[in-house]
Amino acid sequence: MIALLILTAFFILTLVIGIRARQKQKMNLENWAVGGRSFNTVFVFLLTAGEVYTTFSFLGGSGWAYSKGISAVYVMVYIALSYVTSYFLLPLIWKYAHEHRLVSQSDFFAKKYNSDLLGVVVAVVGVIAIIPIVVIQLKGLGIIVSLTSYGAIPMKVAVVVGTIAIIIYSVISGIRGIAWIAVLKDFMILAVIVFMGIYLPIHYYGGIGQMFDQIAAVKPELLTFPHTTYTVTWFISTVLFYVLGFYMWPQVFASTFTAKNARTFRKNAIISPIYTLMLLFVIFIGLTAVLQVPGLEGDASDLALLQLAMKTFDPWFVGIIGAAGMLTALVPGSMLLMSAATLLTKNIIYSYKPDTPDAKIANLSKFCVPVLAIISCLFVFQGGNALAAILQVGYSLIVQLCPSLFASLMKRNPVTKQGALAGIIVGILITIFISNYSMTLATLLPGVPTAISDINIGFLPLVANVIVTLVVSLLTRKKLGTDTI
């Protein structure tokens, strides 16, 4: 009962914070979607962290450490390296968006390439890629609340109620509400994860070193890279692949557009990699669970952190853990849905009518938030893969934007709008095909060395994208010049 009361109290507090953030703010499109471009370094940092440290970090990261072992470190590595790239990448994106008053990722591509059609395609890709990630958040929300309430709240009820909360404060307060909730979320998740990551190995093994000693004695394979599948080749290629896709997400563009100035990103790039160390404690929790809650297989490995917490702590602290986990779903979930709604409205539905008043776009965007949320809920209730597998699908889709984005930031862009459009479409089609049939390079190229077969399958559509982009750009540069599509 006490765990349920704590979860309820934090849920109500989250709603209150989210709704009150609207006070004295006129919610026009720019203020609702990008906070009036007025956020300082702290808010941009917390908003960005709110997108990064999600239910995947909370459940999927520990679950991956539990089932796959040390290869889970890839999460830490790719996020830290992505922050390094932000020092150079985000100021360029912010400057261009600020000069042209852009409010969405699709606006950026459409303006850079002078192509409304490309803007529509980018928006479609963004919306399609976002849905699987929203599914991760809602699925994680249901798991966390159901378990930490000791079954008092069924998973489906938790998903529905959480989705309603997201809809309410997102529609009312927009990105400002999300930013204020991110403050609460980041403080809570930092305190809970660091405490658990230090306390649990000491409690069960006498220390972190002793924990590794005991795992090495019982399951040594978890502490080394295997010779097949999750090999060193897989690790390096997956880190690189995720770094390329990290800043391609529409909600990352939206949070970037909220900043007051470009210096904000360089400050954040310096301190953010340190914050990534929090994920080390997530891995410690997953490894602690290996010998303490054995027998979790397949999708159930995502439950390692919660099962260990319920075995170890009193119900009141389990409620605190559940509340922190709940926030890891609510903050990124709402940011994702807002970004998708803005893309759907401004860059798809009204793409044919660029002079549509901002007020009309804002109203329809707010209406689209619950529509997309309901669609995501339906996917959650269909069941599905482990969180890491769902994340891979989303990244494989959104990373198709990176060749055109990087090219657009060059002084002399070698890519034409026709090339960008063709490359993205080819990459997306191949991604959908290989995801539908759960293909890997090992299944496509049987008999090749593991140094090739274990490369992340996401590179296959990405390489095809780059080739098509360059070839079509070469063919159309002289023939079509700068004609708009």
Side-chain angles (χ1 to χ4, degrees):
M1 179 60 72
I2 185 66
L4 178 60
L5 291 175
I6 290 173
L7 282 167
T8 304
F10 273 99
F11 179 77
I12 294 172
L13 176 62
T14 300
L15 263 179
V16 171
I17 291 173
I19 294 172
R20 283 180 60 86
R22 180 195 172 101
Q23 283 189 332
K24 299 180 181 180
Q25 297 290 334
K26 183 180 179 181
M27 280 297 146
N28 55 30
L29 178 62
E30 188 174 53
N31 211 356
W32 184 78
V34 294
R37 308 178 199 277
S38 62
F39 286 8
N40 58 27
T41 301
V42 174
F43 265 125
V44 173
F45 171 79
L46 293 174
L47 200 58
T48 304
E51 298 163 3
V52 173
Y53 300 107
T54 65
T55 53
F56 175 74
S57 302
F58 195 75
L59 297 181
S62 57
W64 192 274
Y66 177 92
S67 61
K68 306 294 191 301
I70 205 66
S71 62
V73 175
Y74 89 89
V75 180
M76 277 183 59
V77 177
Y78 90 74
I79 292 177
L81 290 177
S82 297
Y83 284 139
V84 174
T85 67
S86 73
Y87 187 92
F88 307 98
L89 180 64
L90 296 190
L92 296 176
I93 293 174
W94 178 88
K95 182 180 179 181
Y96 188 82
H98 185 75
E99 289 174 355
H100 297 90
R101 312 303 294 177
L102 309 179
V103 298
S104 73
Q105 179 192 56
S106 180
D107 290 345
F108 186 92
F109 278 84
K111 190 72 175 177
K112 272 285 188 181
Y113 284 92
N114 190 28
S115 172
D116 292 336
L117 179 58
L118 180 60
V120 172
V121 170
V122 168
V124 171
V125 172
V127 173
I128 293 174
I130 278 175
I131 295 300
I133 311 304
V134 176
V135 170
I136 287 181
Q137 310 316 316
L138 297 181
K139 181 181 178 183
L141 174 69
I143 292 171
I144 292 166
V145 173
S146 178
L147 281 178
T148 57
S149 68
Y150 294 87
I153 304 176
M155 178 178 173
K156 289 186 177 181
V157 173
V159 170
V160 171
V161 173
T163 302
I164 292 172
I166 288 173
I167 293 169
I168 290 172
Y169 67 74
S170 297
V171 169
I172 292 175
S173 300
I175 202 168
R176 290 183 179 276
I178 299 170
W180 278 105
I181 296 171
V183 175
L184 173 64
K185 173 250 181 188
D186 273 49
F187 280 114
M188 281 197 67
I189 197 67
L190 181 63
V192 166
I193 290 299
V194 171
F195 170 75
M196 290 179 67
I198 295 173
Y199 173 79
L200 290 172
I202 294 174
H203 176 71
Y204 283 108
Y205 302 102
I208 294 173
Q210 292 91 321
M211 174 188 71
F212 281 104
D213 290 338
Q214 292 193 38
I215 293 174
V218 179
K219 288 194 171 185
E221 69 275 9
L222 292 180
L223 301 183
T224 59
F225 287 105
H227 297 297
T228 59
T229 310
Y230 299 110
T231 61
V232 173
T233 298
W234 169 87
F235 180 87
I236 295 172
S237 64
T238 298
V239 166
L240 179 58
F241 181 72
Y242 277 46
V243 169
L244 290 173
F246 193 83
Y247 287 111
M248 298 302 114
W249 292 97
Q251 74 275 12
V252 174
F253 274 70
S255 61
T256 300
F257 296 168
T258 65
K260 283 183 179 180
N261 55 62
R263 292 191 303 274
T264 295
F265 307 109
R266 296 195 170 98
K267 292 177 183 176
N268 282 344
I270 295 170
I271 60 175
S272 293
I274 300 173
Y275 193 61
T276 308
L277 288 174
M278 182 182 72
L279 293 173
L280 185 62
F281 298 100
V282 173
I283 293 171
F284 288 163
I285 296 168
L287 292 175
T288 301
V290 169
L291 301 182
Q292 303 307 318
V293 284
L296 300 178
E297 298 180 358
D299 293 3
S301 63
D302 290 333
L303 307 179
L305 183 150
L306 297 178
Q307 294 282 15
L308 184 61
M310 295 172 69
K311 175 183 177 180
T312 309
F313 299 113
D314 293 335
W316 70 268
F317 192 69
V318 172
I320 296 290
I321 295 170
M326 176 180 66
L327 289 169
T328 66
L330 294 177
V331 171
S334 49
M335 190 71 194
L336 287 159
L337 286 172
M338 269 193 59
S339 298
T342 304
L343 288 173
L344 182 61
T345 302
K346 187 176 188 299
N347 303 112
I348 298 177
I349 296 176
Y350 284 126
S351 61
Y352 70 96
K353 200 174 180 182
D355 58 343
T356 302
D358 283 355
K360 194 171 183 178
I361 295 173
N363 289 335
L364 186 56
S365 295
K366 293 173 185 178
F367 173 78
C368 286
V369 169
V371 173
L372 293 170
I374 291 170
I375 293 171
S376 300
C377 277
L378 293 176
F379 278 110
V380 173
F381 297 150
Q382 291 296 317
N385 301 320
L387 303 185
I390 300 175
L391 184 67
Q392 170 73 20
V393 174
Y395 260 94
S396 296
L397 290 169
I398 206 67
V399 79
Q400 303 308 321
L401 304 181
C402 91
S404 300
L405 174 68
F406 292 156
S408 75
L409 298 176
M410 297 180 183
K411 288 185 178 180
R412 294 189 64 182
N413 186 354
V415 173
T416 65
K417 56 197 167 189
Q418 294 85 3
L421 189 63
I424 290 171
I425 291 174
V426 167
I428 291 297
L429 292 176
I430 296 175
T431 296
I432 293 172
F433 180 78
I434 63 177
S435 298
N436 187 52
Y437 291 99
S438 301
M439 292 179 175
T440 65
L441 285 181
T443 59
L444 289 173
L445 303 171
V448 300
T450 56
I452 297 175
S453 63
D454 290 339
I455 293 174
N456 192 302
I457 187 65
F459 274 104
L460 179 61
L462 183 59
V463 169
N465 178 342
V466 172
I467 293 171
V468 171
T469 297
L470 294 177
V471 169
V472 174
S473 295
L474 186 63
L475 294 174
T476 56
R477 180 168 298 281
K478 291 182 180 180
K479 185 177 180 181
L480 297 178
T482 58
D483 294 340
T484 55
I485 295 177

